[in-house]
Amino acid sequence: MTHWVCIVGTDGSGKTTLSARLVEQLRESGVDARHEWLGAESYLMAPLRKVLKLVWGRRRLTTGSGGSRTNVAGDTSGAPGYRGEIARKNAVVKRYPWAIRGYVFLVLLDYRLQLRRKLHRARDTDLVVADRYVFDVAVNLGLTLGWDPGFLVRFLQQQMTRVRLPDVRVFLRVEPEVSLARKDDIPDADYLGLRLAYYDAVAAAFGFEVRDGTRPIEETSSWLLQFTQQELAKPHVHYVHSNNHDVGGADKVLVRMAEHMGSRAAGRPGAFRVSVSLRLATDVLGLHEAAGTPVLLRGFERPQLSAGLPGLVRFGLAAPRTFLYFHRLFALQQPDLVHVNDVYDFLPTLAASRAGIPVVYHLRMFQGRPAIRKGLARLIARSSQASVAVSDAVRQHYFPRPVRGHRAEMIHDLGDAGLMAGQGDVLLVAPRPDGVPDGGRLVTMVGRVEEWKGQAVFLDALEALKPGARESGTFVMVGGSVPGKEAYFDEISRRARALGVTMLGVRRDVPAILRASDVSVHCSTEPDPFPGVVVESLLAGTALVAAGAGGVPEMISEPGVGVLVTPGHADELAAVLADLIEAVPTPRSRFATAARVRGLALVDPAPIDEQLRALYTAVLTARGRSAQ
């Protein structure tokens, strides 16, 4: 397998010199390395570029002080130098938006043909040191087309499903004035400054190691060799999640898991190189980018039982295309291990198994239909080397007995880092965030609005409260609707208004709302595997009332931690709520301290990280590849 090192930076950063030096050092250490300049050249695009230069030149003559146009950077098309040139290009793009798709297609086709030819020369090489890459091509496109850095990152996340993600990624960062002093063929400072904003965004989102390009060349060269050797020694773990439009607990846990296992996570021994495949561009992309985890974005299919027969038919028709996509993706990216994040991610599992790549399967849900559960258990056991269940109840649900050749382990999900940090005195309620009504003791229910989450049970319980208890409390519900369940959402909204319950919708500040709450209610009517709201409520120190099924009894293991109620029993829930709302000791004084201790124990990252690292190592060792 050929490994890749990619070094990017603005002109004058020293990337070409360091690339050549790295190849020399690697060869001296016995590695068959090759230096390739992988920037873009114009072949197919050369005639089009000549035409565009004529257009831009003509516009340069006709655009003056009376007809200025604002470009993406806020400057005008009449500005001098490189900034003015970019503004004129942006103006042309705005005038002919219909041509953008074709222009991008031709640029990428031109580049991929060049890339294929250059990499064919290096096909038998152990390691390719790439001076520039598709990231640089995207920066040029972004400037020409007036994209903002965020849009450029999203574009690259899609393109990286078609080209190899380099194993080692380094960004040599220098300020424009330094580059200008080093090189005399740079147009002007704007040429560098405009590019630098793009490179900063790309480096952050794709986990580049940022190195000060002004440090002495010998020092940087020595560091680069050591860094390259360390990174290449780490196995590559690729996570797959067929995420939905609503961002739930599984999305956020994957962000934390990839970050903790990634090589950027404080350099812990046994760290891995990580990347993630997602199918939808949701808000979770920003969390991955903030963590520096490379995301490969492509719209693949997953089964949706809630969509009924039409959804299953659509999935059946699209399944071969999804399988082939992952088969090609794994052949291109060559991960050492694939970790799927959802029980329905069996198509990427089968593709990885077919390619001989070991798989770890994450189990985050119960399956109520016995035939489907048994079928999934057999599929998981045959197509993956190990599975991770978020609670012991989930592990027992799928694997009540050991299965030969398959490791079924229980590893809790990681918790919210903000809530795990110091919360001050958890016996005291925090100030209520905007939108949360003032008044009596705050009772909060968090969860997306669908039948099994139990919003109807919660409202039934409030209806059963005596007037005094209802008047002493302030009741809010947090969560948005689920596609296909709009009728249920409308019914819950109508009932909530009638009862004086505030529906806050989707909120990004759930931890702050829980810190301000006196009571948190979890009342799922079906077994919940390892509900994030239970963990977050414990960490926030709010008094917790939870439905005692699934993994919840494992979480609330003692009476002083919270109160368990029978799922679906509104009268029982109402009695507990009345006690908490009207009791003289505050709810937090009864539960907060023990709840937080239990929450911290459940999601302590040290043992969770070690368990996951040990599992990866065992699976990889069995396949002849070990972690550091």
Side-chain angles (χ1 to χ4, degrees):
M1 181 176 73
T2 301
H3 289 290
W4 288 25
V5 177
C6 176
I7 303 175
V8 302
T10 54
D11 289 6
S13 60
K15 55 188 178 296
T16 301
T17 301
L18 283 168
S19 296
R21 177 61 182 141
L22 177 60
V23 169
E24 292 176 7
Q25 293 174 308
L26 289 168
R27 287 175 175 172
E28 290 171 0
S29 64
V31 177
D32 180 17
R34 181 186 181 99
H35 175 208
E36 286 286 351
W37 188 84
L38 296 184
E41 301 172 86
S42 288
Y43 293 110
L44 296 178
M45 288 296 296
L48 179 59
R49 292 188 192 280
K50 289 182 180 179
V51 172
L52 290 175
K53 284 183 178 180
L54 290 174
V55 173
W56 291 329
R58 194 173 294 119
R59 291 186 65 79
R60 192 176 293 119
L61 294 174
T62 58
T63 303
S65 59
S68 64
R69 293 174 176 83
T70 302
N71 80 332
V72 68
D75 213 326
T76 62
S77 58
Y82 186 75
R83 185 176 291 271
E85 180 182 340
I86 289 299
R88 288 186 287 273
K89 290 180 180 180
N90 295 166
V92 173
V93 169
K94 290 179 181 179
R95 186 173 180 181
Y96 306 106
W98 51 266
I100 293 176
R101 187 183 297 272
Y103 178 77
V104 172
F105 173 80
L106 289 174
V107 169
L108 294 178
L109 176 62
D110 200 357
Y111 180 70
R112 286 176 189 145
L113 291 174
Q114 299 167 38
L115 187 64
R116 180 172 296 184
R117 176 177 57 84
K118 292 176 180 179
L119 294 179
H120 182 73
R121 298 194 304 242
R123 63 189 181 279
D124 297 323
T125 307
D126 293 336
L127 191 146
V128 172
V129 179
D131 173 6
R132 301 179 183 267
Y133 191 41
V134 69
F135 306 106
D136 303 85
V137 179
V139 167
N140 289 333
L141 275 172
L143 282 166
T144 298
L145 301 177
W147 294 344
D148 62 64
F151 187 91
L152 177 72
V153 166
R154 203 71 70 249
F155 171 78
L156 274 169
Q157 287 169 337
Q158 296 169 340
Q159 293 307 310
M160 294 314 297
T161 64
R162 299 177 176 90
V163 295
R164 175 77 177 270
L165 178 70
D167 304 285
V168 183
R169 301 174 296 279
V170 176
F171 171 38
L172 295 173
R173 195 184 193 284
V174 296
E175 294 296 333
E177 56 270 18
V178 175
S179 296
L180 287 170
R182 289 177 172 180
K183 298 190 70 176
D184 57 7
D185 59 348
I186 299 174
D188 56 33
D190 285 335
Y191 177 84
L192 300 168
L194 290 172
R195 279 172 159 71
L196 194 57
Y198 287 107
Y199 280 114
D200 282 339
V202 170
F206 287 90
F208 277 74
E209 187 70 21
V210 181
R211 180 73 177 181
D212 182 359
T214 64
R215 302 183 75 87
I217 189 70
E218 287 303 320
E219 176 187 326
T220 301
S221 177
S222 176
W223 167 84
L224 183 58
L225 175 63
Q226 182 180 17
F227 178 70
T228 297
Q229 291 171 333
Q230 289 175 344
E231 289 297 291
L232 292 180
K234 298 171 182 176
H236 176 196
V237 177
H238 186 74
Y239 296 91
V240 179
H241 184 46
S242 50
N243 59 320
N244 286 317
H245 289 283
D246 58 318
V247 176
D251 299 88
K252 296 175 182 178
V253 168
L254 177 57
V255 171
R256 299 169 197 143
M257 184 164 56
E259 182 181 14
H260 280 232
M261 292 295 102
S263 57
R264 291 166 62 93
R268 293 186 305 274
F272 302 86
R273 289 180 285 117
V274 300
S275 56
V276 174
S277 276
L278 298 178
R279 74 186 188 110
L280 296 175
T282 67
D283 289 346
V284 77
L285 285 175
L287 301 178
H288 281 294
E289 290 161 16
T293 302
V295 171
L296 283 58
L297 188 61
R298 177 72 174 267
F300 53 90
E301 290 292 328
R302 61 161 282 167
Q304 293 278 21
L305 296 183
S306 60
L309 182 60
L312 292 177
V313 171
R314 184 173 62 250
F315 171 73
L317 295 174
R321 185 173 69 249
T322 294
F323 175 84
L324 289 175
Y325 162 67
F326 278 106
H327 185 74
R328 290 193 295 265
L329 182 74
F330 296 149
L332 178 65
Q333 305 298 345
Q334 300 182 16
D336 296 292
L337 184 146
V338 170
H339 185 140
V340 296
N341 197 48
D342 189 276
V343 71
Y344 289 137
D345 285 330
F346 53 81
L347 287 176
T349 299
L350 292 173
S353 180
R354 178 73 177 260
I357 303 170
V359 176
V360 172
Y361 220 112
H362 224 110
L363 305 176
R364 302 182 181 280
M365 62 179 290
F366 291 102
Q367 176 49 252
R369 303 176 186 178
I372 296 178
R373 173 179 57 80
K374 292 178 181 178
L376 283 171
R378 285 195 295 268
L379 179 63
I380 292 167
R382 292 174 181 174
S383 61
S384 65
Q385 282 63 46
S387 59
V388 174
V390 294
S391 64
D392 194 58
V394 173
R395 185 179 66 82
Q396 292 289 341
H397 181 71
Y398 289 97
F399 299 107
R401 292 177 297 277
V403 177
R404 185 176 181 181
H406 182 85
R407 297 172 60 111
E409 298 196 7
M410 188 278 288
I411 302 176
H412 290 319
D413 280 339
L414 290 159
D416 179 85
L419 276 173
M420 294 183 70
Q423 295 294 308
D425 188 353
V426 292
L427 295 175
L428 303 175
V429 293
R432 298 184 183 184
D434 292 341
V436 179
D438 294 325
R441 288 181 177 170
L442 181 60
V443 179
T444 301
M445 180 183 178
V446 178
R448 61 183 182 272
V449 183
E450 58 179 323
E451 288 91 336
W452 81 275
K453 287 295 185 180
Q455 283 85 8
V457 177
F458 178 58
L459 296 178
D460 289 343
L462 297 189
E463 284 184 337
L465 287 176
K466 294 179 180 179
R470 197 184 304 174
E471 293 169 3
S472 299
T474 298
F475 306 97
V476 300
M477 297 171 66
V478 181
S481 63
V482 176
K485 304 295 181 67
E486 290 81 7
Y488 179 73
F489 180 84
D490 292 341
E491 174 63 17
I492 291 299
S493 299
R494 183 192 62 77
R495 291 188 60 195
R497 286 193 299 270
L499 287 167
V501 177
T502 301
M503 293 194 69
L504 298 175
V506 177
R507 297 282 294 236
R508 295 173 181 266
D509 58 346
V510 170
I513 294 174
L514 291 174
R515 280 287 293 117
S517 299
D518 296 279
V519 181
S520 174
V521 178
H522 163 273
C523 52
S524 295
T525 59
E526 298 177 12
D528 221 338
F530 189 77
V533 66
V534 170
V535 173
E536 292 183 352
S537 298
L538 294 173
L539 291 172
T542 183
L544 175 64
V545 185
V552 177
E554 301 171 37
M555 306 168 78
I556 304 178
S557 55
E558 299 175 1
V561 171
V563 181
L564 294 174
V565 295
T566 306
H569 283 230
D571 290 341
E572 184 180 343
L573 175 60
V576 175
L577 289 178
D579 175 55
L580 292 173
I581 292 171
E582 297 181 319
V584 175
T586 65
R588 282 182 174 269
S589 68
R590 293 169 57 182
F591 295 101
T593 301
R596 181 161 175 81
V597 169
R598 179 58 179 160
L600 290 171
L602 281 172
V603 294
D604 184 352
I608 292 173
D609 288 351
E610 177 56 28
Q611 285 177 287
L612 199 55
R613 186 202 65 79
L615 179 62
Y616 287 173
T617 300
V619 171
L620 288 165
T621 301
R623 289 299 183 98
R625 179 77 156 97
S626 60
Q628 287 186 329

